[in-house]
Amino acid sequence: MVEPVRVAVVGSGPAGLYAAEALVKQTGGDVRVDVLDRLPTPYGLVRYGVAPDHKSIKAIARYLQKVLEGPGVRFFGCVELGRDLTRADLLGCYDAVIYATGAMVDRHMAIPGEDLPGSIAATDFVNWYCGHPDAADHAFDLSVEEVAVIGVGNVAVDVVRILAKTAEELRETDVPEQVIEALSRSRVRRVHMVGRRGPAQAKFTTKEARELGELPSAGIHVSPQDMDLDPASAELAETDRHVRGNIKVLNGWTGEPPADRPRRIDVRFWRAPVEILGTDRVEGLRLEKTRLDETGRVTGTGEFETLPVGMVLRSVGYQSVPLAGVPFDERSYVVPNEGGRILGPDGAQVPREYVAGWIKRGPTGVVGTNKSDAAETVRNLLEDVPADRTPPGNTIEELLESRCLPVVTYADWLNLDAAEIALARSLDRGERVKLARWEAMTNACRPVD
């Protein structure tokens, strides 16, 4: 009797765990799935990318938890491809491997001054306030009074909202205690959210936009001139429900914001960053006013303005990074594939290796998009498994033990989970408070009696 198919899933975010779920469902449970992650915690961007004050979206973690607790699925934390295991190691232990590592870095704007201190990738800031261990000791100069956030997507809105909220407003969330302390000392009073295109091209959802206008500690403003729509955009505002909703919300912000609020948000459309100013650190941001040409492309008008900001956070898109030994397209920043089947440099299918999520298709869609994406990959994977296959000769347990790796199991993660819940109770703060430093997290995984 041939043993169940063994599959490794690299990455425990939504894409990886939806892939694990699809493997169990599509095989009727006749499968063994090991989910590997370099972090001691599962759930990926649900834990480290969703804004801490969006508790309804973070509830997706409860669904993903059921996947990890299902039969035939195991979690191996603190195991990193390229550091602890090679691609060949995985292929020696499994019938197939699915890479679902997401898109982990921000795109650059490629403008002068972008490397100045105070010019920051939004991902770094998000990781910090979401408690990612890689960012636990990052320091952000919140003594500045004005900040620019480049981008008009949901991540940019999240960053603006966190900057505009008071520390007290965030105490009921899972933000790490050291982040609350830093935000309590913030002197930021004005946040500029800057978009290269117009309001009809904004990528944020209407719900996210509406939340900005409901902040008790921050007024919001958009210039009436920035709400000008070209004919094509005006047509979108009539026919596209998403655009129509955004325009309605934005039009409500064209009046002057209340003067009694300590902070202010300015949404600026039709502006392209051309230079970050400063000698030793960020001292300003130079913008060129823009318009859409007859082909719909953004073009400069030759008019410029300067914002006196002390920090610039760029949120202009994400991109994946190469995995050790795995084919990678340096232009599109994805692993070349057809339906999740990895393709080599010659265009031929690479046997037994697959991708799911953003590393497969790029940073598009919402969390739920990963479910159908993963299902497609799994269908193709199972179709490729030969009926007369020879099971792998090695096991991941033996390999990890031989290398003396301090693997975090699902039971260990539950210890960390309980420690964060207990910390929240001790601080009289919400449902949980994240532990963010590596040592604290790993110690909580294996508490000493």
Side-chain angles (χ1 to χ4, degrees):
M1 179 177 174
V2 179
E3 67 176 57
V5 174
R6 278 194 260 163
V7 181
V9 176
V10 181
S12 66
L17 291 179
Y18 283 137
E21 179 186 44
L23 282 161
V24 173
K25 286 184 174 179
Q26 292 185 32
T27 61
D30 191 25
V31 68
R32 297 292 178 266
V33 186
D34 290 342
V35 180
L36 287 66
D37 202 293
R38 75 178 188 89
L39 298 177
T41 55
Y43 312 137
L45 279 180
V46 172
R47 179 176 168 94
Y48 295 119
V50 174
D53 53 351
H54 278 176
K55 295 183 180 180
S56 61
I57 300 177
K58 292 174 78 68
I60 294 170
R62 288 193 285 273
Y63 180 93
L64 299 177
Q65 177 181 346
K66 295 178 182 177
V67 176
L68 278 176
E69 293 177 350
V73 179
R74 300 185 298 180
F75 176 69
F76 291 81
C78 287
V79 177
E80 184 174 353
L81 178 67
R83 181 192 67 187
D84 304 316
L85 298 173
T86 66
R87 179 184 178 194
D89 288 333
L90 292 178
L91 292 170
C93 296
Y94 297 96
D95 294 292
V97 179
I98 299 175
Y99 304 104
T101 51
M104 298 180 287
V105 298
D106 284 73
R107 292 182 182 272
H108 287 268
M109 297 184 294
I111 61 174
E114 192 170 6
D115 295 328
L116 281 170
S119 171
I120 300 158
T123 296
D124 291 342
F125 191 68
V126 171
N127 283 343
W128 174 68
Y129 68 65
C130 283
H132 196 295
D134 289 349
D137 294 317
H138 285 189
F140 300 94
D141 186 2
L142 299 176
S143 68
V144 301
E145 293 193 358
E146 296 195 38
V147 176
V149 178
I150 312 302
V152 286
N154 282 341
V155 174
V157 172
D158 287 345
V159 169
V160 169
R161 196 176 62 255
I162 296 299
L163 286 168
K165 280 192 168 185
T166 65
E168 191 59 32
E169 289 174 288
L170 293 167
R171 279 194 59 80
E172 291 301 304
T173 71
D174 61 11
V175 167
E177 187 70 4
Q178 63 265 30
V179 174
I180 291 290
E181 292 171 0
L183 291 173
S184 71
R185 299 188 295 270
S186 172
R187 294 178 58 192
V188 175
R189 293 297 176 265
R190 191 169 187 177
V191 184
H192 306 268
M193 186 165 69
V194 180
R196 295 172 64 245
R197 297 173 181 267
Q201 288 77 37
K203 299 299 184 182
F204 50 67
T205 63
T206 302
K207 179 179 180 295
E208 289 262 3
R210 194 178 293 118
E211 288 177 355
L212 281 184
E214 296 170 349
L215 298 177
S217 55
I220 189 164
H221 181 255
V222 57
S223 168
Q225 289 77 23
D226 283 9
M227 293 302 298
D228 289 344
L229 301 178
D230 61 278
S233 297
E235 183 178 350
L236 273 179
E238 291 291 331
T239 59
D240 187 297
R241 181 180 177 184
H242 167 245
V243 175
R244 184 166 64 249
N246 281 355
I247 296 296
K248 181 178 179 181
V249 172
L250 292 165
N251 277 329
W253 298 341
T254 56
E256 281 300 310
D260 60 347
R261 298 190 186 179
R263 293 174 180 170
R264 171 175 170 140
I265 300 167
D266 285 278
V267 184
R268 296 174 176 272
F269 295 108
W270 305 117
R271 307 288 197 285
V274 293
E275 184 178 7
I276 297 175
L277 306 173
T279 304
D280 299 317
R281 59 161 296 107
V282 172
E283 297 174 6
L285 175 65
R286 192 166 186 246
L287 304 171
E288 182 177 12
K289 292 185 179 180
T290 61
R291 63 178 178 82
L292 297 182
D293 64 19
E294 59 277 2
T295 67
R297 299 181 63 180
V298 176
T299 184
T301 65
E303 296 181 70
F304 297 89
E305 64 178 309
T306 298
L307 301 179
V309 299
M311 182 188 296
V312 175
L313 291 156
R314 69 173 185 273
S315 181
V316 293
Y318 293 100
Q319 63 189 44
S320 298
V321 296
L323 298 170
V326 179
F328 192 76
D329 187 332
E330 296 284 356
R331 293 169 298 177
S332 59
Y333 297 102
V334 298
V335 172
N337 72 94
E338 284 186 359
R341 294 178 169 111
I342 293 180
L343 304 178
D346 59 355
Q349 181 182 342
V350 176
R352 302 196 292 136
E353 292 182 275
Y354 303 82
V355 281
W358 280 1
I359 199 166
K360 169 186 174 182
R361 68 180 190 274
T364 61
V366 295
V367 172
T369 308
N370 291 296
K371 193 163 190 174
S372 57
D373 176 287
E376 176 192 52
T377 293
V378 168
R379 280 194 301 272
N380 290 331
L381 181 157
L382 295 174
E383 184 180 293
D384 295 342
V385 175
D388 59 347
R389 80 186 198 286
T390 300
N394 302 323
T395 68
I396 193 68
E397 298 96 316
E398 293 170 342
L399 186 59
L400 293 173
E401 185 177 348
S402 71
R403 295 180 183 176
C404 301
L405 295 173
V407 176
V408 169
T409 66
Y410 185 71
D412 295 333
W413 149 246
L414 290 180
N415 289 332
L416 171 54
D417 182 55
E420 293 183 339
I421 293 170
L423 179 59
R425 285 198 299 266
S426 71
L427 296 171
D428 192 25
R429 281 189 54 197
E431 296 178 5
R432 78 167 59 239
V433 171
K434 284 180 183 170
L435 295 172
R437 291 189 168 88
W438 280 100
E439 183 178 7
M441 295 171 76
T442 53
N443 287 344
C445 286
R446 305 181 186 89
V448 177
D449 294 332

